[in-house]
Amino acid sequence: MVAKKKCFFGIKTDRQVDGDKISQKFMDKVIAEGGENAAIASCMQCGTCSGGCTNIDRMDISPRKLILLLQRGEWETILKSNTLWLCTSCYTCTSRCPRGVRPADVIEAVKALAIREGIQNDSTRFNQIFVELVKKRGIVFEPELMHQYGGIEAMLEQAELGVKLALRGKLSPFPAKVKDSKIFNQALEKASEK
Amino acid sequence: MTYSYYPGCSLHSSAKEFDISTRMVMQELGIELEELEDWSCCGGSIAAGVSHEVGMALAARNVVLAQQKNRDLLASCSGCYNKSAKAAKALENETERNKITPILSQMGMSVSDSNTKVRNVVDVLANDVDISSRIKKPLRGLKVACYYGCLLTRPQELTGWDSPVFPMSMDKLSEICGAEVVDFRSKTKCCGGPILVPQEKVAFELTKRLLDEAKSLGADCMVLACPLCANNLELRQPDIEKAYNVSYKLPILYITEIIGLALGIKPGKLGINKHVVSPKPVLAKLGF
Ligand code: SF4
Ligand code: SF4
């Protein structure tokens, strides 16, 4: 057994100091989903990412801690975290990280895995509907998106804006689509079945 | 120079003035745009968060369409630009390419090795052409807050932008047009665009912060290059005003619109009449 090293400052309790807790399994899973650039293992827990994060005030787990939990394999905690759905994919964290970790891409991959593992909330529902509609025609038709997500109620709420847009020629009454939407759709459906 | 022009979903709908003004300005500057035939949605900030492969394939499809024309891809929308650039980079990486290629070939498309670059309209205007000698109507006395948001400049290794946290390209363009640029500290803070629908309250808070700062700096308008930001900042501005019992009435203009005005193009020809928050105070100040 590897002897437990003490953190240099001896006080930080959630700091990965000994390496023996690193669990490769979930890091591999995230990298398999989101691409090899995620470089999760090289995170040194400096917190620079969290320091610039758009939505940190509202997150239950900071981007830094999310990376730590991922290193440790605490997958259940990550899945339950609201951080996944408050992250706006703004890439501030990724731009700031001195170690080449890309928290934004990591979170993006974790989102996809969370949806596949059955996590459900308003955000997952909206994101899934959005993607289904893109797969269907290749071009988003906003009224349809709003209708599928929020029902008639959401349509009515947005009616005033809809009228303004229509009057300015910015809202087509018909959805646009790619030429061969059937083949387009089939290819993406197949890619979704994993 | 001819680019394959990728307008994306928004520029064909809620951001029509961005589409119109991009085309007008490019034409005025002698840059040809040929709309990418049969383009599709790039998946935005959402698709890859449902399935990485679907997201990448969506964005890569447009890059490959541009490859087939042997042209660089020009996107006005920051989101389309970012995701297309990300896909172009992924196509250069073997592992990533192997995920994307089978999906595209099922759509009947083959990925070639051409070195198609993805460009953004701000980048082209700031770096490829000299606007200064073409200014016919300087925007004297107009105070603008330049807002970059997230995806235009970040991550820097993807966009090659001057700075991911305090870029100056739009500020410089606005100055060249004769406008006065305010020191907008929140210029790269996110407006919450991608979470607007499912997390409306949070997105409103983030957007409000930007409107507050621009207003307190005395800006006549905010200038930007992203239809998703404009959705929050302009189209939902009345809702934010209502939710917080405040009044902004802050015109939100696309960078191509103010450049177009400075180049002497008539406001109507730039689509400025299509805004939901009236840009009339801005036009009045400029003497239109
Ligand atoms: S991408 Fe997400 S985690 Fe990173 S700074 Fe933006 S909101 Fe925070
Ligand atoms: S900035 Fe990078 S190295 Fe520092 S805590 Fe965040 S992910 Fe880890």
Side-chain angles (χ1 to χ4, degrees):
Chain A
M1 206 183 116
V2 188
K4 279 216 169 185
K5 280 182 249 157
K6 257 203 175 152
C7 170
F8 180 73
F9 298 105
I11 37 174
K12 286 188 102 176
T13 50
D14 69 351
R15 169 78 168 85
Q16 186 77 49
V17 282
D18 39 17
D20 62 348
K21 275 199 217 149
I22 288 226
S23 147
Q24 197 64 36
K25 185 172 155 212
F26 290 100
M27 292 200 283
D28 284 348
K29 207 170 158 167
V30 171
I31 289 167
E33 169 67 27
E36 56 201 18
N37 290 333
I40 302 159
S42 51
C43 171
M44 61 176 175
Q45 290 294 304
C46 65
T48 313
C49 49
S50 299
C53 174
T54 294
N55 244 341
I56 182 107
D57 302 350
R58 302 164 188 87
M59 289 173 176
D60 53 4
I61 296 176
S62 69
R64 170 195 67 80
K65 194 159 178 200
L66 191 124
I67 303 284
L68 177 75
L69 296 177
L70 199 49
Q71 289 178 334
R72 287 183 175 170
E74 293 184 33
W75 189 240
E76 289 306 314
T77 316
I78 293 173
L79 288 189
K80 276 191 229 127
S81 162
N82 70 11
T83 301
L84 305 181
W85 318 109
L86 285 170
C87 168
T88 64
S89 305
C90 75
Y91 287 101
T92 308
C93 50
T94 302
S95 279
R96 290 167 54 114
C97 175
R99 300 275 290 174
V101 184
R102 295 151 184 265
D105 286 342
V106 171
I107 292 174
E108 187 174 84
V110 176
K111 278 183 197 175
L113 293 169
I115 289 179
R116 234 163 285 148
E117 295 200 13
I119 297 288
Q120 282 179 346
N121 54 45
D122 285 350
S123 302
T124 60
R125 205 161 61 77
F126 177 76
N127 295 2
Q128 283 175 293
I129 293 172
F130 178 91
V131 174
E132 281 312 312
L133 292 180
V134 174
K135 285 198 285 194
K136 183 163 140 196
R137 292 203 197 86
I139 296 172
V140 190
F141 186 52
E142 281 221 7
E144 188 180 21
L145 178 61
M146 288 319 295
H147 181 245
Q148 288 210 10
Y149 175 74
I152 294 294
E153 213 175 298
M155 300 286 280
L156 288 176
E157 247 173 57
Q158 295 291 306
E160 202 184 317
L161 179 59
V163 170
K164 281 188 203 162
L165 293 178
L167 286 173
R168 289 163 178 79
K170 301 211 280 188
L171 191 72
S172 152
F174 309 108
K177 65 177 183 67
V178 290
K179 269 185 210 149
D180 211 333
S181 54
K182 204 170 160 201
I183 291 183
F184 179 89
N185 179 262
Q186 280 167 354
L188 292 172
E189 284 298 345
K190 203 168 160 218
S192 312
E193 292 164 10
K194 285 202 292 194
Chain B
M1 187 78 203
T2 306
Y3 286 99
S4 279
Y5 172 57
Y6 173 41
C9 308
S10 307
L11 273 77
H12 269 206
S13 56
S14 64
K16 237 177 197 158
E17 58 275 31
F18 197 13
D19 183 45
I20 299 170
S21 54
T22 297
R23 289 174 195 268
M24 287 303 291
V25 165
M26 289 299 179
Q27 192 187 359
E28 184 71 23
L29 296 170
I31 297 168
E32 248 181 87
L33 300 182
E34 193 185 280
E35 185 164 328
L36 196 63
E37 209 191 316
D38 204 31
W39 57 263
S40 52
C41 170
C42 67
S45 291
I46 292 177
V50 174
S51 158
H52 178 72
E53 286 177 26
V54 169
M56 292 314 281
L58 279 169
R61 184 176 176 275
N62 299 308
V63 177
V64 173
L65 286 173
Q67 279 180 354
Q68 290 168 353
K69 290 269 178 188
N70 256 321
R71 286 195 183 125
D72 287 349
L73 183 73
L74 182 102
S76 291
C77 164
S78 303
C80 296
Y81 159 64
N82 189 289
K83 300 304 158 192
S84 307
K86 194 173 181 185
K89 200 171 168 208
L91 287 173
E92 288 168 13
N93 170 301
E94 208 190 321
T95 327
E96 284 291 293
R97 192 174 57 232
N98 289 342
K99 287 184 189 169
I100 300 168
T101 317
I103 308 174
L104 293 184
S105 48
Q106 274 182 29
M107 294 178 185
M109 297 170 73
S110 57
V111 180
S112 71
D113 259 338
S114 93
N115 50 349
T116 287
K117 283 198 215 52
V118 177
R119 304 288 305 274
N120 175 268
V121 69
V122 180
D123 163 26
V124 169
L125 292 170
N127 300 312
D128 292 11
V129 282
D130 175 27
I131 293 178
S132 54
S133 59
R134 330 261 314 225
I135 303 294
K136 293 202 186 106
K137 206 169 179 328
L139 311 175
R140 273 192 206 104
L142 190 71
K143 275 176 115 178
V144 305
C146 292
Y147 176 59
Y148 299 74
C150 324
L151 299 179
L152 186 61
T153 65
R154 285 193 294 266
Q156 200 182 14
E157 84 265 5
L158 196 70
T159 64
W161 221 267
D162 52 349
S163 160
V165 286
F166 212 74
M168 289 303 288
S169 44
M170 273 205 276
D171 295 56
K172 283 186 194 142
L173 283 169
S174 306
E175 271 167 11
I176 291 171
C177 291
E180 185 191 327
V181 178
V182 300
D183 186 17
F184 190 32
R185 307 308 294 180
S186 302
K187 61 163 90 168
T188 53
K189 294 250 161 72
C190 177
C191 70
I195 57 168
L196 172 66
V197 181
Q199 308 257 4
E200 188 175 272
K201 226 180 128 239
V202 177
F204 277 9
E205 278 170 37
L206 296 173
T207 307
K208 178 179 187 290
R209 197 178 60 182
L210 303 171
L211 291 166
D212 281 340
E213 191 187 335
K215 201 76 189 176
S216 73
L217 291 167
D220 293 310
C221 64
M222 200 185 278
V223 170
L224 43 63
C226 176
L228 202 60
C229 300
N231 190 19
N232 277 19
L233 286 159
E234 181 186 356
L235 303 185
R236 304 305 299 276
Q237 199 183 111
D239 296 322
I240 296 171
E241 288 177 330
K242 212 184 279 167
Y244 291 93
N245 198 17
V246 282
S247 167
Y248 298 110
K249 302 214 169 17
L250 185 71
I252 309 291
L253 296 175
Y254 290 101
I255 180 76
T256 42
E257 291 177 287
I258 70 154
I259 292 177
L261 290 176
L263 293 175
I265 305 170
K266 297 260 173 311
K269 284 196 152 177
L270 291 164
I272 290 186
N273 49 353
K274 293 191 179 293
H275 282 282
V276 166
V277 173
S278 172
K280 276 194 185 128
V282 169
L283 295 176
K285 203 158 184 185
L286 295 172
F288 285 102

